[in-house]
Amino acid sequence: MRIVLAQPRGFCAGVVRAVDIVERALEKYGAPVYVRHEIVHNRRVVETLEAKGARFVEALAEVPAGAVTIFSAHGVSRAVEIEVEARGLPVLDATCPLVSKVHIEGRRYIAQGRTLILIGHAGHPEVEGTLGQIPGEVHLVASAADVAALPIPPDRPVAFVTQTTLSVDDTRGIIEALKARFTDLIGPDTRDICYATQNRQTAVRELARRVDVLLVVGAANSSNSNRLREIGSEQGVPCYLIPDAGALRPDWLRGAEVVGITAGASAPESLVEEVIAALGRLGPVEVSALPGIVEDVSFKLPSALVEPEASAAS
C-alpha cells in the first residue's frame, strides 16, 4: 500500500501559539491553570494538556478566585472579558491573531455606520465570540440563501467579515451573493482570510486526485476538519474523518492501493504518525508526501510569557 500525505496538514500557527501558551503558563505559574472551552478542537491535545495540569471549563464560575485563566484560540465575547475583569482573574489570551483581526475589522465597520454581516456557522465558538465582540447590528449568514433572506434594504451601507475556519473557496459564492444584492458593500481583502484553512483545502483537493481512499485526521467538532472531509467526498473519493488510529476500519481500505492522509488545523502530527503505524500493521506500506506550500507563519506569545532574554534578543 502506498500512503501519500498532504502538504500542508495539521497544526496551523494559531494552534501552535495557543498550545504553547497553555504549556508555558503551566511552566511559569504551576498547575492548575484554567482554560475556557477547549483550547483547540482536538481531544488528544486537550487530554495531553490536562495531564500536565490544565483544567478546561465552559463557565468562568468554575474558575477559582485568583486562578490563571486562558481564553481559547476561538476567542470570546466581550461579556466574558467583562466577567473576567470583574472577578480580577489573571488572563492569558490565546485567541488566534487572525480571529482578533476579524473582531477589529467588525468594530471598525460598525463605527463607520455600516450594518455588519458575518459569514459563518451558527453555534461555532469563534462565531459566538465574534458576535459578542461587535457592538452593533450583526447578521449571520452561512449560504447564498441566507443572503437572499436578509431583512436589509439593498441600498443600506453594508460590510462583511468571515469566520476564519472558512476558506476563500468556502465564502466565494456567499460574497458574490452579497455583491449582487447590496449596492454599497465592503469587506476584507481575500488575503485576510485564514491562510491555513485555504492551504489545507487546496492540498486536499490535489491529494484526492491521486488516491483511492482519503483519511482526514481531526475531531468531529472541528469545522475545518469536517470541511476537509467534505472536499474529499466532493472529489468523488471515499473519505473518512477519524479522531485517531483507533477509529480506522480495515474494510474502508479493501482494494485500495493508494491511501491519502491529511489532518485538520488542530490535529497534532503525532495522530497522523499513529494512523500510518496502524496502516503498517495491515501490511507493507510506502510513505511519501506531496509537494505543497511550506508554511513559515508564526505568532507572538503574550508578553507575560516571554522571557526577558528572549524579548531582548528579538
Side-chain angles (χ1 to χ4, degrees):
M1 180 187 296
R2 287 178 51 222
I3 299 172
V4 184
L5 306 177
Q7 173 63 34
R9 65 185 178 276
F11 275 8
C12 63
V15 169
V16 170
R17 175 180 180 270
V19 173
D20 209 9
I21 285 172
V22 179
E23 291 181 334
R24 292 197 183 206
L26 287 165
E27 291 171 5
K28 181 170 182 175
Y29 303 108
V33 299
Y34 289 80
V35 185
R36 187 186 178 277
H37 192 61
E38 292 184 340
I39 187 68
V40 296
H41 283 157
N42 189 274
R43 197 63 224 158
R44 175 67 62 83
V45 172
V46 168
E47 289 172 351
T48 299
L49 293 173
E50 282 178 332
K52 295 179 179 180
R55 300 290 178 266
F56 293 87
V57 301
E58 290 301 319
L60 290 177
E62 301 174 62
V63 180
V68 173
T69 305
I70 301 173
F71 294 154
S72 81
H74 310 99
V76 299
S77 69
R78 183 65 188 129
V80 171
E81 293 175 341
I82 291 171
E83 184 179 351
V84 163
E85 292 164 6
R87 291 192 57 196
L89 295 172
V91 170
L92 294 168
D93 190 355
T95 301
C96 174
L98 296 180
V99 174
S100 296
K101 186 175 183 180
V102 171
H103 297 170
I104 293 167
E105 289 171 337
R107 289 193 289 264
R108 176 165 55 85
Y109 292 140
I110 288 290
Q112 293 170 358
R114 293 181 176 274
T115 297
L116 188 66
I117 296 169
L118 170 59
I119 301 172
H121 298 145
H124 190 280
E126 180 188 330
V127 168
E128 295 299 319
T130 299
L131 289 171
Q133 283 284 343
I134 310 300
E137 183 182 356
V138 185
H139 298 266
L140 180 64
V141 299
S143 66
D146 290 343
V147 173
L150 285 169
I152 306 172
D155 58 348
R156 182 182 295 182
V158 170
F160 70 88
V161 292
T162 74
Q163 179 181 333
T164 64
T165 50
L166 301 178
S167 70
V168 175
D169 294 335
D170 293 333
T171 59
R172 183 177 289 113
I174 300 172
I175 293 172
E176 288 304 316
L178 290 170
K179 288 178 178 177
R181 172 152 185 195
F182 297 106
T183 57
D184 185 359
L185 174 76
I186 60 173
D189 190 279
T190 54
R191 290 173 297 182
D192 289 347
I193 293 177
C194 178
Y195 75 94
T197 300
Q198 184 63 51
N199 288 351
R200 280 152 188 72
Q201 291 187 11
T202 299
V204 85
R205 283 191 176 91
E206 180 62 28
L207 181 62
R209 298 189 186 103
R210 302 166 180 254
V211 301
D212 302 313
V213 175
L214 183 57
L215 304 175
V216 178
V217 181
N221 63 336
S222 165
S223 175
N224 73 87
S225 297
N226 275 284
R227 185 65 185 124
L228 291 176
R229 183 198 59 75
E230 290 171 1
I231 289 170
S233 296
E234 288 167 2
Q235 304 300 308
V237 177
C239 188
Y240 305 96
L241 175 64
I242 56 173
D244 53 39
L248 186 65
R249 288 173 46 181
D251 56 291
W252 292 343
L253 310 170
R254 195 166 291 122
E257 296 181 3
V258 185
V259 176
I261 303 177
T262 189
S266 51
E269 184 65 11
S270 60
L271 291 176
V272 173
E273 293 168 354
E274 289 171 14
V275 171
I276 293 171
L279 292 172
R281 288 192 287 273
L282 300 177
V285 296
E286 173 190 316
V287 183
S288 62
L290 286 182
I293 295 171
V294 177
E295 295 172 346
D296 57 2
V297 177
S298 62
F299 295 130
K300 292 181 179 179
L301 294 170
S303 57
L305 296 177
V306 178
E307 295 296 328
E309 298 85 355
S311 248
S314 59

